[in-house]
Amino acid sequence: MYTDYKNGGMGKVTVVRKIFGDLNEFKTELAKIVSNSPIEEKMGRLEISGIHSQKVKLWMRRLGF
């Protein structure tokens, strides 16, 4: 997981990669953590609008990842 800056630094997205299992269920639970920010599904990754890396890392650590 990392933060990516697009459009010359104006667009900020948090990228989550290497997701295994039920992607729709993961997106549903992730939307609760990131305050329903838009989540785009790309090839092999999810892009969350905004900077949410600290919240997502803490959530995944509590799940045991």
Side-chain angles (χ1 to χ4, degrees):
M1 171 182 10
Y2 58 93
T3 302
D4 192 13
Y5 298 93
K6 297 185 176 197
N7 299 333
M10 297 302 292
K12 299 166 184 75
V13 294
T14 302
V15 180
V16 180
R17 300 180 350 169
K18 299 182 182 179
I19 302 168
F20 299 100
D22 188 3
L23 186 61
N24 290 328
E25 183 67 27
F26 185 78
K27 282 174 57 175
T28 302
E29 294 299 318
L30 185 60
K32 295 175 188 176
I33 301 301
V34 297
S35 305
N36 290 321
S37 292
I39 301 174
E40 290 185 44
E41 192 174 327
K42 302 276 177 131
M43 292 290 283
R45 66 181 187 212
L46 293 176
E47 291 187 357
I48 309 160
S49 180
I51 300 176
H52 302 282
S53 58
Q54 294 298 326
K55 288 189 277 187
V56 175
K57 283 180 185 178
L58 179 63
W59 175 65
M60 292 182 79
R61 197 173 308 128
R62 287 182 177 170
L63 290 176
F65 292 101

